[in-house]
Structures are given as C-alpha cells and as structure tokens.
Amino acid sequence: MAMVQYSRHHQLKKGEHQHAGEDDMLSLTCAANSGYFKRSRPKLFSLLILSLLSCCLILGSHLLCSSSALSLLYSFGVEGDGLAANVKAKASLCSSISNGTICCDRSSIRSDVCVMKGDVRTSSASSSVYLYTSKSTHAMIKNVSSLVDKDEVLQHEKVKPYTRKWETSVMDTIDELDLIVKTKNNRNNHHCDVTHAVPAVFFSTGGYTGNVYHEFNDGLLPLFITSQHFKKKVVFVILEYHGWWIMKYGDILSHLSDYPAIDFSGDKRTHCFPEAIVGLRIHDELTVDPSLMHGNKSIVDFRNVLDLAYLPRVKSLLEESGAQEKLKQKAHSSSSGSSSDIRGEGHGATLKRPKLVILSRNGSRAITNEDLLVKMAEEIGFQVEVLRPERTTELARIYGALNSSEVMIGVHGAAMTHFLFMRPGSVFIQVIPLGTEWAADAYYGEPARKLGLKYIGYQILPRESSLYDKYDRNDPVLRDPQSVSNKGWQYTKSIYLDNQNVRLNLRRFQKRLLRAYIYTIAKKNRRSHLQSQ
C-alpha cells in the first residue's frame, strides 16, 4: 500500500475526538443578540430571565429552524460530545434539511459532506454548484444578519470532495467546489441544459486514485456508504474524472446508479438536480459500520454488490475456459485413446481439493521461495493457483479466482485489498514483513475479520527478511522496527516497503497452512453433512 500514511493514522484517530465547544458558541450568540447584560444591575434576575428568553427566541427562529445557520453549528466537531451526543447514530448531521438550504457536516476528520436541497445547478466553468431559492426563504436571516450582498449570495461554502481531509499534502491536489445559495430574480439566467429527476452525489477520483487500496477505501466504499440508500436512483458527478477508472469500476458503478456518471469539468452543460450531496462519508479502513447505515447495511452488503457486478462475467469466463478445455480433451482423446478418461477423472479429483490462491508480488516484498511454498501447499492437500495481477488485469478475473478459493496468501501491500473478493468464512493469511505489523492489522487484518474471514497474520522473523543481509544484527532496523517507523513515513517506505523481500521459513509457515487446511476441510465436511440431512 505504497501511498498509505501509516504514521498519520494515529493522528487521525486522535483528531477524531478533538472538538470545538458548542456551548461557547451558543453563549457568544446569546451575548451578541442581547443588550441586557450591559444594562443596570437592578432586577438583575428578571433581566437575566428576559435575556435568556430573547436568546432562545433568536436561536429558535434562526438557528434551530434554519439549515443555513445549522451548517455553522455542524462545522464544529460533534462526533462524540456536545450537540450531537444525544442524536441517534443513524440520524447523521444534515440528514434532514428544508428546501433552498445548504447544510455542511464538517465533524469528521476524514471528510466534509454538504447537502444541498432544492433548485441545484452546476457551473463547471466556475467550479461552482448553485442553489437558487426565493427571497422569502432567507428573509428572516437577511433582516437579522445582513448576509445578502449585492449579488444576492445568501450562503457560500467551500468543499473538497475527497476522503483524506486530514492529509494536507494530498488535499492540496484536490479540486475545490464553491457551493453557493443565491436568490432567484429576473436577472438570473435560470436555464437547464439537462434536468435530472434524481439527486446527485459529487466526489473526486483524484488524490491517490491509481492505487487499488485507495480506490476502494477512499472511493468505492464511501460511495456505497453515501449513495446506497438512494437505491440506484442517483447520478454520480465526478471531479478529476478518469476514463480508465470508469472502465475499471463500471460494473460496480452500474449497481450503485442507474445513470451514466458525469465528468464535472469536461461536461460544460448546466445540470439541474432536486438535491445534491457533495463529498463522501467514510467510516473506517475498508469497512462499513452498520450502526451508521440505514437498514444496518454492512461490509457484507458491499461485497454482495461485488457479486452482482462480477459473477455474470466470471460465469462467462468459466464457460469460455470450459469450452477450450473440452476442445483440448477432444484433441487429446483422438491421439491417445482412452487414457483421456483417466486424465479427466484425475482433473476432477484435483478440483475437489480446497483451493489456495497466492497473490504474487514482483519487486519489493516478493516471496523469494514462492516455488517451494507452492510445492509444500500442494503436498498438504491444496489445489494451488498463483495469481500475478497487473494494472491491466480484468478485475472479474481476480474476483473469479478469489471468490472460488478457500484460502488466500499474500504479502502486506495494496493488493491485499482483494480480500474483499473472498467469500465470508474463507481464510486470509497475510505475510507481515518487518516494520509493517501495525499497519498490516489496521488496514487489512481487522477489516478482513469484519467481513467474516478467518484471518491469520504471519509476522516474519528478521532471518526471513532480505534486510537481514543488509544490516548488523543489532541494528534497530532488525531489532526494533517500531522505533524506525516512528521516525516518519519516509523511513517506513524506503526501508520496509520499497527494499524488503521475504524468504519464508517453510517449516514455521507450514503450521499456518495446516491450520488453514484443517479449517477448510472441517467447513466442507459440515456443509456436506448439512446438505445430506
């Protein structure tokens, strides 16, 4: 996972619980709208009561009843304390707003999400999304706070719709959108080139897109979380649009939306929507938190979407492969007589063995004795497939291989994201190089367990690392990798990710394989027993 900032994850977790004080803001609001605190002291108690009543009336009409004002409240973090402490988990901020308003939830350290409802119109030339409303909608706010300027702008929010908000270096590369509420008048050119009857979700495929971990973690899973409640009646509007990304993940997108995605910058037409969500919600690494989802949707539901997206193509590939195999068998039968029947029976017997897939790496973090690993796994009783995915490899082929396997083995890295392609109940063995133990569990181990996989982490010993031949035995690189990683991401990347290979101690690793084999055989026996009843 070349782009992941391991050392920043702790900062992220810490930052998620750092919030501004809503009580302070409310008291300032009351003070600003009440002159009673500055007047004479007689009847102080009565004056205090009047002040409080005045404050409550102001708050009631302009804060609690106005989504524009609510967006100001929501811009302060309220994930664990304060205003949102008593709100049910599923009732997310900005989940219900009135027409002609924008509400922005900036409470998460991972992403900002704004909701616009009413007459929403795109303007790609100005990198803006406008929300037009009648003057009466914001009349009270106009009279009290004079928010309307000469251009009749009632509210202006800025959002970068990408899910790594805490990471300044990558967010600096993300296009920013201006979200603007304006009043309707005769001077406005209120034309729509394309009118949509369904909401829009705006997001970016910039940043770390190009790395499969980030494509799923920062994009596809948040897209599912944000849009699934629309039940495909939603249009995706994409900033920093990539044609290759659409081709790669088009099968998934087609099961999240019934409509073609829009290239925000490339499509200069004005698109009009009744509602828009700008930005994506994200829960944690490669997962979906059911407590935050309508209908308690989980990561298993996301995987069900992958089934719908890829199984038809997998079936087609299997039919093509089967037809080719029959042709080969027929050709062999004509040349070698009845011996082909024996080979066919043997082939069938092989297919009944539990399938193990090794996700092979080239370059750094490769298993240098992979051939011996394959031989050992076959001797234990596995049918082994070595999968070497390239950037151009069709995802349906990877999905087909892993969806039909009982066990997956791979060395920690972005390709481990493919554990999402495995069926719940399967075994995922992650080989963990030196210096990557915490990240391996946080980014892949724990998410795999949430999917329902049996996760086995194999932490290598210094002698199993190629770094053992490069450093002194007492060097912290070998003796205390955590101290080296604590120096910063660049050390982890340059030493442990980019310049380390693995030579497995097969006798030691065999114990994990035997555990996986016994587990899969027992599971097969239980399934056969249930089917026979």
Side-chain angles (χ1 to χ4, degrees):
M1 187 172 52
M3 296 292 186
V4 176
Q5 304 277 343
Y6 297 159
S7 62
R8 295 191 180 184
H9 189 83
H10 295 292
Q11 297 173 14
L12 187 157
K13 291 297 185 184
K14 181 180 179 181
E16 285 178 335
H17 301 287
Q18 293 176 343
H19 308 299
E22 291 81 14
D23 291 341
D24 291 340
M25 184 183 69
L26 290 174
S27 64
L28 288 172
T29 304
C30 291
N33 288 283
S34 175
Y36 291 105
F37 293 109
K38 296 181 180 179
R39 297 184 180 179
S40 58
R41 297 192 179 189
K43 300 182 180 179
L44 181 61
F45 180 77
S46 298
L47 291 175
L48 178 61
I49 295 297
L50 289 173
S51 299
L52 290 172
L53 288 172
S54 174
C55 178
C56 291
L57 287 172
I58 293 171
L59 286 175
S61 60
H62 304 306
L63 284 179
L64 301 181
C65 296
S66 167
S67 294
S68 299
L70 272 176
S71 67
L72 178 63
L73 286 174
Y74 293 157
S75 68
F76 292 83
V78 290
E79 287 183 359
D81 302 303
L83 189 65
N86 296 321
V87 179
K88 291 183 180 179
K90 293 174 189 174
S92 59
L93 301 181
C94 304
S95 61
S96 178
I97 65 172
S98 58
N99 274 326
T101 58
I102 298 177
C103 174
C104 288
D105 178 0
R106 302 186 189 274
S107 62
S108 172
I109 198 169
R110 292 176 177 266
S111 65
D112 290 334
V113 179
C114 292
V115 180
M116 311 173 74
K117 192 170 183 181
D119 185 0
V120 179
R121 303 174 184 235
T122 63
S123 174
S124 60
S126 62
S127 296
S128 301
V129 183
Y130 290 98
L131 175 60
Y132 290 100
T133 184
S134 63
K135 290 185 179 180
S136 60
T137 303
H138 285 265
M140 192 172 294
I141 292 180
K142 185 196 302 185
N143 293 334
V144 173
S145 55
S146 301
L147 289 176
V148 183
D149 60 19
K150 293 181 180 179
D151 295 325
E152 297 182 301
V153 173
L154 301 174
Q155 186 180 353
H156 188 175
E157 303 282 351
K158 291 180 178 290
V159 178
K160 291 187 175 184
Y162 190 63
T163 57
R164 299 189 78 80
K165 172 183 166 183
W166 83 93
E167 197 169 340
T168 305
S169 59
V170 71
M171 292 302 290
D172 286 344
T173 71
I174 301 298
D175 290 345
E176 187 173 61
L177 279 177
D178 289 293
L179 312 183
I180 301 171
V181 180
K182 299 185 74 173
T183 55
K184 290 180 180 178
N185 58 54
N186 294 330
R187 292 172 299 168
N188 292 141
N189 184 13
H190 290 296
H191 77 282
C192 292
D193 295 318
V194 185
T195 301
H196 302 269
V198 299
V201 171
F202 290 73
F203 65 97
S204 173
T205 54
Y208 292 141
T209 299
N211 174 288
V212 68
Y213 164 82
H214 291 286
E215 287 166 4
F216 275 88
N217 186 72
D218 303 343
L220 293 170
L221 270 162
L223 187 60
F224 170 79
I225 289 168
T226 306
S227 69
Q228 61 84 31
H229 68 284
F230 289 121
K231 298 180 179 178
K232 300 176 65 176
K233 303 305 177 185
V234 61
V235 176
F236 297 143
V237 184
I238 304 177
L239 283 72
E240 297 162 276
Y241 180 102
H242 301 288
W244 64 263
W245 187 87
I246 294 293
M247 290 185 64
K248 183 175 182 180
Y249 295 113
D251 291 332
I252 298 176
L253 296 182
S254 69
H255 289 280
L256 296 178
S257 169
D258 284 333
Y259 306 89
I262 296 172
D263 177 357
F264 180 78
S265 298
D267 190 336
K268 302 300 182 183
R269 297 175 297 176
T270 298
H271 290 266
C272 299
F273 302 94
E275 183 180 348
I277 298 176
V278 184
L280 300 178
R281 301 188 185 281
I282 180 172
H283 293 163
D284 208 338
E285 309 304 324
L286 292 175
T287 197
V288 177
D289 185 345
S291 70
L292 301 175
M293 297 290 289
H294 293 285
N296 296 105
K297 299 290 186 181
S298 70
I299 187 64
V300 175
D301 292 288
F302 176 76
R303 196 195 174 282
N304 291 340
V305 172
L306 300 184
D307 269 347
L308 294 172
Y310 292 122
L311 284 183
R313 174 58 177 159
V314 170
K315 182 179 179 181
S316 175
L317 291 171
L318 287 174
E319 289 173 352
E320 293 174 11
S321 176
Q324 293 174 0
E325 185 65 27
K326 286 181 180 179
L327 287 174
K328 290 180 181 179
Q329 289 181 4
K330 186 176 181 180
H332 183 80
S333 177
S334 61
S335 62
S336 60
S338 61
S339 63
S340 61
D341 295 333
I342 300 173
R343 290 175 59 87
E345 290 173 6
H347 182 66
T350 301
L351 289 178
K352 293 179 182 178
R353 306 170 79 188
K355 180 180 175 182
L356 180 150
V357 172
I358 299 173
L359 274 182
S360 182
R361 293 183 61 96
N362 295 318
S364 65
R365 283 166 284 152
I367 299 175
T368 57
N369 56 344
E370 187 178 274
D371 54 339
L372 297 177
L373 171 62
V374 171
K375 183 179 179 181
M376 182 177 71
E378 289 176 338
E379 290 174 349
I380 287 173
F382 286 107
Q383 172 204 348
V384 180
E385 178 180 351
V386 179
L387 194 61
R388 296 183 175 89
E390 304 289 341
R391 284 186 177 272
T392 56
T393 302
E394 185 181 358
L395 276 182
R397 293 184 180 275
I398 303 174
Y399 191 86
L402 293 174
N403 183 65
S404 62
S405 70
E406 279 77 29
V407 182
M408 180 182 90
I409 296 174
V411 181
H412 170 67
M416 295 301 94
T417 305
H418 293 121
F419 78 78
L420 291 168
F421 293 2
M422 301 188 73
R423 291 166 296 166
S426 302
V427 181
F428 169 30
I429 303 176
Q430 182 177 203
V431 177
I432 305 171
L434 298 181
T436 66
E437 183 174 4
W438 177 87
D441 188 70
Y443 293 109
Y444 302 113
E446 182 59 25
R449 287 187 283 265
K450 290 177 180 177
L451 180 58
L453 302 183
K454 181 175 177 59
Y455 173 71
I456 301 174
Y458 178 80
Q459 175 68 51
I460 71 168
L461 299 175
R463 285 181 177 272
E464 295 174 90
S465 171
S466 61
L467 299 175
Y468 191 78
D469 298 324
K470 299 178 182 179
Y471 293 88
D472 182 82
R473 305 298 177 263
N474 293 319
D475 194 293
V477 167
L478 300 176
R479 183 174 49 80
D480 188 11
Q482 185 60 52
S483 67
V484 177
S485 295
N486 287 342
K487 293 180 179 179
W489 159 249
Q490 66 275 16
Y491 288 91
T492 299
K493 185 177 187 300
S494 63
I495 297 174
Y496 297 116
L497 298 181
D498 293 345
N499 289 288
Q500 180 178 196
N501 287 325
V502 174
R503 185 172 181 83
L504 292 173
N505 179 331
L506 294 177
R507 180 174 296 180
R508 181 169 175 256
F509 191 77
Q510 185 184 45
K511 296 177 183 178
R512 273 69 171 184
L513 273 185
L514 285 171
R515 274 170 56 193
Y517 183 78
I518 293 169
Y519 173 82
T520 56
I521 292 299
K523 189 176 70 171
K524 280 178 174 287
N525 290 337
R526 285 195 302 271
R527 188 183 303 124
S528 298
H529 177 69
L530 290 173
Q531 290 174 351
S532 65
Q533 288 181 334

